[in-house]
């Protein structure tokens, strides 16, 4: 019998991400997407698989060096459409459900963003970015000798992390593609971004999202409108500051469900599930009594491209949707009379799903801390479940995976602090081990009961791992998630340190003289803050961090409003911005600090790392700086595979050196 192996950095190449389950109209079969990293090519492959729901037999349907996404069955189940990058840009393909080669339907300059079947099954609605005044099929003229051109900037939202500079002469438009002729008819042409939300079952109505403000620098709306396909007459469903989307028609087309959050607490506001009654023209907040956010707020590093629906309607006008709560993401049920209850168990992460039309079962992609994720059939009435895939079964069987223990303590201000503690993979009773505190980003996100490769890597090195959800994290009360705003480095810092003190008191295996701390984004900010306010940590690694709120205001793609929302200060109050800036406290840093940052990060631009590094060096502090080319803010989750491995090696190497 072969001995089990500890988790390694390069296990990223062994793991498979199972996502995008979509049931056929008769619910007897389904398709889903499996993503794996190609080590030699240094790229991600995502392929379409077919599943017999009753037998659990699955078959791979697509191959090659491509990424497939957004699979959708035709209304009669005879065809399947999906997006694929097999020719570089995401283009639309259709194949027969009985098999055969997929037919490429589009060859647009900027690819296809999203699509929905028309109920007739002969047309497909889709979105693509189109140059103003051009058509879907027009292509930009290429001049091989073209000289570099200056970029004129007239708005504040002129760049976006992961996308680069935003060109203001092109917008996302909606068109209708005829499958037989392959000709597309433009449905929208105005110079605004349009999102395709839903098509009614009768085929006569669309729900689209569009903000027609001439300048949206301080406008954070995506109004949802119900549009008559023939007359283009519009009925507004929602038009207020906030984020709304994911619309879906009920089976009888009377109701439209959608998710979203207003700006009562800016971007800390809980998301809710709303239902619009097309007959009475009234809107109901179905989750108003639920003090937890609708959707999935878990942060992890394994699942690739999950695309769960905002809500799924079943017969009888019942709804199913995700709720983030107490470290879990659970499937919930609701009806229009106010009933609301969970439809999946605790202690797991339902990260993607679909529900049969009759509501008898769900097809769910589920993970937990020692399960990278598989598809399961969940019987709604009995709660029974059946595993339908086993893509990571061999990996789990052959690998030492550490199951974390849940911790909970009373924090400052009466808030309960919730988190997890992992023992080292090689733990032996009576021995002492270092501990690494790992802090999530956001801050309005959540560590959860989900597989996290990075955590397992740290435990495999022989260290304990503590990760908690301090105030500001999602998954708890509205008061809890809002409590961090205007108090960065206050109660949130106290929550983390209180949790650390609690486990040090309770666990005698932790060597209190060998503590490390790390985190990314907001977690990077907090790592910087911690080393400037205490010297109890022997090593720290800050990733994609914020060090200076004054410069962040002007250089981040979201800085000019995020600073106001989160720090509650702008450039008219630089004293407050500086008060909350870790750079201010650089002279107090005694902890050896490794700085990891992506060069193309526009969310927390690399100048934040540069300022911190040069300042610490000028003060003769112990620090090093690692820059990652061709990487943005999401390096640790979706970055180039070789750089993800390098990042993990740098992280573990620094702690190995100092712990």
């Amino acid at each position: 019998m072969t001995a089990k192996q500890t988790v390694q950095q390069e296990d990223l190449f062994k793991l498979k991400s199972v996502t995008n389950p979509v049931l056929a109209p008769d619910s007897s079969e389904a398709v889903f997407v499996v993503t794996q990293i190609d080590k030699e090519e240094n790229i991600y492959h995502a392929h379409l698989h077919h599943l017999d729901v009753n037998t659990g037999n699955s078959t791979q349907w697509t191959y090659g060096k491509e990424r497939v996404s957004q699979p959708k069955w035709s209304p009669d189940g005879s065809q399947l459409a999906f997006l694929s990058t097999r020719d570089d840009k995401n283009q639309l393909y259709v194949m027969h459900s009985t098999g055969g080669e997929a037919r490429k339907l589009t060859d647009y300059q900027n690819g296809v963003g999203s699509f929905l079947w028309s109920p007739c099954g002969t047309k497909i609605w889709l979105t693509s970015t189109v140059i103003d005044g051009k058509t879907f099929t027009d292509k930009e003229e290429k001049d091989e000798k073209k000289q570099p051109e200056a970029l004129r900037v007239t708005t504040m939202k002129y760049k976006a992390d992961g996308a680069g500079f935003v060109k203001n002469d092109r917008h996302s438009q909606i068109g209708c593609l005829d499958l037989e002729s392959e000709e597309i008819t433009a449905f929208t042409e105005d110079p605004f971004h349009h999102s395709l939300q839903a098509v009614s079952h009768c085929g006569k109505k669309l729900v689209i999202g569009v903000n027609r403000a001439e300048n949206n620098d301080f406008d954070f709306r995506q109004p949802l409108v119900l549009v008559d396909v023939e007359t283009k007459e519009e009925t507004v469903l929602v038009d207020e500051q906030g984020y709304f989307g994911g619309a879906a028609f009920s089976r009888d087309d009377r109701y439209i469900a959608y998710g979203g959050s207003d700006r009562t607490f800016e971007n800390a506001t809980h998301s809710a599930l709303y239902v619009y009654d097309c007959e009475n023209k009234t809107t109901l907040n179905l989750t108003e009594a639920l003090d937890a956010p609708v959707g999935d707020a878990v942060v992890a590093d394994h699942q690739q491209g999950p695309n769960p629906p905002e809500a799924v309607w079943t017969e009888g006008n019942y709804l199913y949707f995700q709720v983030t709560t107490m470290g879990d993401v659970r499937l919930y049920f609701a009806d229009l009379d106010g009933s609301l209850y969970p439809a999946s168990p605790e202690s797991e992460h339902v990260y993607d799903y679909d529900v049969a039309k009759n509501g008898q079962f769900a097809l769910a992609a589920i993970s937990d801390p020692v399960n990278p994720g598989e598809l399961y059939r969940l019987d709604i009435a009995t709660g029974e479940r059946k595993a339908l895939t086993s893509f990571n079964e061999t990996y789990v069987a052959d690998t030492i995976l550490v199951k974390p223990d849940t911790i909970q303590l009373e924090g400052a201000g009466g808030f309960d602090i919730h988190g997890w503690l992992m023992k080292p993979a090689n733990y032996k009773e009576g021995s002492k081990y270092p501990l690494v505190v790992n802090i999530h980003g956001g801050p309005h996100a959540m560590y959860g009961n989900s597989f996290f490769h990075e955590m397992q890597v740290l435990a495999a090195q022989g260290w304990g791992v503590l990760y908690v959800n301090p105030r500001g994290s999602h998954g708890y009360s509205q008061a809890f998630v809002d409590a961090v705003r205007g108090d960065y480095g206050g109660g949130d810092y106290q929550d983390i340190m209180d949790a650390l003190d609690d486990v040090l008191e309770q666990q005698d295996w932790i060597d209190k003289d060998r503590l490390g701390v790390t985190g990314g984004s907001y977690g990077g900010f907090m790592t910087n803050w911690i080393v400037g306010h205490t010297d109890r940590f022997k090593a720290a690694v800050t990733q994609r961090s914020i060090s200076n709120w004054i410069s962040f205001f002007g250089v981040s793609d979201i800085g000019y409003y995020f600073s106001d929302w989160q720090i509650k200060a702008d450039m008219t109050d630089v004293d407050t911005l500086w008060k909350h800036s870790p750079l201010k406290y650089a002279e107090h840093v005694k902890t050896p600090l490794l700085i990891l940052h992506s060069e193309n990060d526009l969310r927390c631009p690399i100048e934040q790392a540069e300022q911190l590094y040069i300042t610490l060096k000028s003060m003769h502090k112990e620090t090093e700086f690692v820059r990652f080319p061709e990487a943005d803010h999401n390096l640790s989750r979706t970055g180039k595979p070789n750089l993800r491995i390098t990042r993990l090696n740098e992280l573990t190497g620094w702690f190995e050196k100092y712990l």
Side-chain angles (χ1 to χ4, degrees):
M1 181 177 177
T2 305
K4 286 190 174 185
Q5 302 296 310
T6 55
V7 175
Q8 303 297 311
Q9 286 85 329
E10 294 208 350
D11 286 0
L12 285 175
F13 301 123
K14 298 179 181 179
L15 290 162
K16 296 182 179 181
S17 172
V18 185
T19 61
N20 289 201
V22 184
L23 286 160
D26 66 1
S27 301
S28 67
E29 55 184 332
V31 290
F32 60 96
V33 175
V34 177
T35 305
Q36 188 172 17
I37 298 173
D38 184 320
K39 183 177 181 180
E40 292 186 4
E41 297 285 341
N42 200 35
I43 57 175
Y44 300 82
H45 293 159
H47 294 124
L48 192 66
H49 289 243
H50 175 267
L51 175 73
D52 185 309
V53 174
N54 296 316
T55 66
N57 294 331
S58 63
T59 307
Q60 185 170 335
W61 270 8
T62 65
Y63 296 84
K65 300 173 182 179
E66 65 175 337
R67 294 197 73 167
V68 166
S69 60
Q70 299 183 41
K72 293 180 178 67
W73 296 89
S74 64
D76 64 359
S78 66
Q79 299 181 86
L80 190 83
F82 57 90
L83 300 183
S84 171
T85 61
R86 61 182 63 177
D87 291 322
D88 189 27
K89 296 285 186 182
N90 252 339
Q91 303 292 352
L92 180 66
Y93 291 77
V94 171
M95 66 187 300
H96 288 287
S97 58
T98 54
E101 184 65 28
R103 178 165 62 113
K104 183 180 179 182
L105 293 179
T106 64
D107 187 21
Y108 302 157
Q109 177 75 29
N110 295 298
V112 175
S114 64
F115 71 93
L116 292 171
W117 282 92
S118 172
C120 64
T122 63
K123 297 179 181 180
I124 291 179
W125 294 91
L126 57 78
T127 64
S128 180
T129 300
V130 179
I131 298 174
D132 296 344
K134 299 287 187 179
T135 68
F136 280 83
T137 54
D138 286 340
K139 294 187 176 182
E140 294 185 65
E141 295 181 6
K142 291 186 177 180
D143 182 357
E144 300 298 333
K145 298 180 180 180
K146 188 176 181 180
Q147 300 296 316
E149 295 180 352
L151 175 70
R152 182 179 301 280
V153 175
T154 60
T155 63
M156 299 177 80
K157 292 181 183 176
Y158 72 92
K159 59 183 179 179
D161 185 67
F165 292 119
V166 177
K167 296 182 179 179
N168 57 15
D169 65 341
R170 59 202 65 199
H171 295 87
S172 178
Q173 304 291 356
I174 298 171
C176 190
L177 179 71
D178 185 287
L179 268 65
E180 184 176 350
S181 67
E182 297 185 14
E183 294 182 355
I184 187 166
T185 302
F187 186 75
T188 63
E189 297 177 310
D190 294 339
F192 305 106
H193 289 295
H194 300 79
S195 66
L196 178 63
Q197 296 280 325
V199 183
S200 65
H201 295 91
C202 68
K204 297 179 180 179
K205 304 283 187 179
L206 298 181
V207 177
I208 69 172
V210 58
N211 184 345
R212 297 189 175 100
E214 292 295 334
N215 185 312
N216 61 6
D217 284 339
F218 292 96
D219 195 332
F220 301 93
R221 294 175 300 139
Q222 181 186 249
L224 299 182
V225 294
L226 179 64
V227 187
D228 185 288
V229 171
E230 292 298 323
T231 67
K232 294 193 177 181
E233 180 182 350
E234 295 183 359
T235 301
V236 175
L237 303 184
V238 59
D239 183 6
E240 61 180 295
Q241 294 295 318
Y243 305 91
F244 300 92
F249 282 92
S250 61
R251 297 287 169 184
D252 60 5
D253 282 339
R254 174 173 174 176
Y255 302 101
I256 301 170
Y258 61 91
S261 58
D262 59 29
R263 282 182 55 194
T264 303
F265 303 96
E266 300 299 0
N267 61 324
T269 310
H270 276 171
S271 295
L273 185 66
Y274 300 89
V275 172
Y276 177 81
D277 186 331
C278 295
E279 288 188 13
N280 297 331
K281 294 183 171 47
T282 57
T283 301
L284 173 68
N285 182 347
L286 277 189
T287 57
E288 189 171 13
L290 185 67
D291 196 7
V294 169
D296 183 353
V298 164
V299 290
D301 60 0
H302 170 59
Q303 286 91 26
Q304 293 292 322
N307 188 30
E310 192 74 33
V312 172
W313 287 96
T314 60
E315 295 167 356
N317 287 336
Y318 302 124
L319 282 156
Y320 291 88
F321 51 96
Q322 294 165 302
V323 171
T324 293
T325 174
M326 289 292 292
D328 298 328
V329 176
R330 304 177 69 180
L331 197 62
Y332 262 66
F333 163 91
D335 64 25
L336 301 182
D337 295 324
S339 297
L340 181 68
Y341 56 81
S344 70
E346 297 179 335
S347 303
E348 62 186 22
H349 178 197
V350 178
Y351 61 88
D352 222 336
Y353 74 101
D354 197 5
V355 182
K357 284 182 179 179
N358 59 15
Q360 291 184 0
F361 72 92
L363 184 60
I366 300 174
S367 172
D368 64 44
V370 292
N371 174 12
E374 302 288 355
L375 289 186
Y376 297 84
R377 174 177 173 143
L378 305 182
D379 188 291
I380 299 293
T382 66
E384 295 179 2
R385 73 172 60 197
K386 176 185 177 183
L388 296 177
T389 66
S390 55
F391 289 95
N392 295 297
E393 184 177 58
T394 300
Y395 176 79
V396 171
D398 295 345
T399 308
I400 299 172
L401 296 173
V402 179
K403 184 177 181 179
D405 295 319
T406 302
I407 65 167
Q408 191 161 335
L409 62 142
E410 185 177 337
F415 288 124
D416 287 340
I417 308 305
H418 177 226
W420 295 264
L421 177 66
M422 299 172 70
K423 289 180 178 177
N426 60 350
Y427 176 79
K428 292 181 180 178
E429 196 75 36
S431 297
K432 290 278 191 178
Y433 299 91
L435 179 75
V436 174
V437 178
N438 204 335
I439 307 166
H440 69 64
H444 308 311
M446 180 187 76
Y447 279 141
N449 287 305
S450 188
F451 183 80
F452 209 134
H453 175 249
E454 179 180 313
M455 303 295 188
Q456 295 289 343
V457 166
L458 293 173
Q461 302 298 311
W463 310 318
V465 187
L466 174 65
Y467 53 108
V468 302
N469 289 324
R471 67 194 64 195
S473 301
H474 260 317
Y476 306 92
S477 69
Q478 180 65 78
F480 186 83
V481 71
D482 186 54
V484 73
R485 295 197 309 124
D487 190 37
Y488 272 46
D492 50 351
Y493 168 66
Q494 191 64 51
D495 290 342
I496 294 167
M497 301 308 288
D498 285 348
L500 175 60
D501 290 337
D502 184 72
V503 298
L504 289 176
E505 183 180 343
Q506 301 290 332
Q507 309 291 332
D508 59 6
W509 57 266
I510 301 173
D511 186 343
K512 62 181 177 57
D513 294 323
R514 289 191 291 164
L515 302 177
V517 62
T518 187
S521 195
Y522 164 80
F525 156 82
M526 183 52 69
T527 300
N528 296 341
W529 185 268
I530 285 173
V531 297
H533 287 78
T534 179
D535 60 359
R536 66 189 298 185
F537 292 93
K538 297 307 176 186
V541 182
T542 185
Q543 307 171 60
R544 58 188 184 279
S545 72
I546 297 170
S547 66
N548 183 350
W549 288 107
I550 296 175
S551 62
F552 179 85
F553 185 93
V555 297
S556 168
D557 62 344
I558 63 172
Y560 73 92
Y561 60 86
F562 187 85
S563 300
D564 188 30
W565 291 0
Q566 293 292 308
I567 307 301
K568 296 189 175 180
D570 58 19
M571 292 300 285
T572 65
D573 186 6
V574 293
D575 289 343
T576 296
L577 293 176
W578 187 237
K579 172 187 172 184
H580 291 281
S581 296
L583 196 64
K584 177 181 179 180
Y585 310 97
E587 63 180 308
H588 304 306
V589 174
K590 297 180 181 179
T591 306
L593 180 66
L594 176 64
I595 303 169
L596 306 180
H597 218 106
S598 297
E599 294 193 358
N600 296 343
D601 190 336
L602 298 181
R603 184 61 38 86
C604 298
I606 198 168
E607 63 87 30
Q608 293 286 307
E610 292 169 334
Q611 289 188 70
L612 182 62
Y613 173 71
I614 293 299
T615 299
L616 291 176
K617 273 293 189 183
S618 73
M619 296 175 175
H620 307 290
K621 307 291 185 179
E622 200 160 353
T623 185
E624 293 181 16
F625 181 20
V626 180
R627 304 170 65 111
F628 294 87
E630 300 179 40
D632 58 27
H633 197 63
N634 288 304
L635 166 64
S636 65
R637 299 175 285 264
T638 59
K640 290 193 173 182
N642 71 305
L643 294 181
R644 291 180 65 185
I645 300 296
T646 301
R647 185 191 74 87
L648 289 169
N649 288 335
E650 291 288 350
L651 180 67
T652 56
W654 192 258
F655 286 137
E656 183 69 35
K657 180 178 180 180
Y658 290 98
L659 298 184

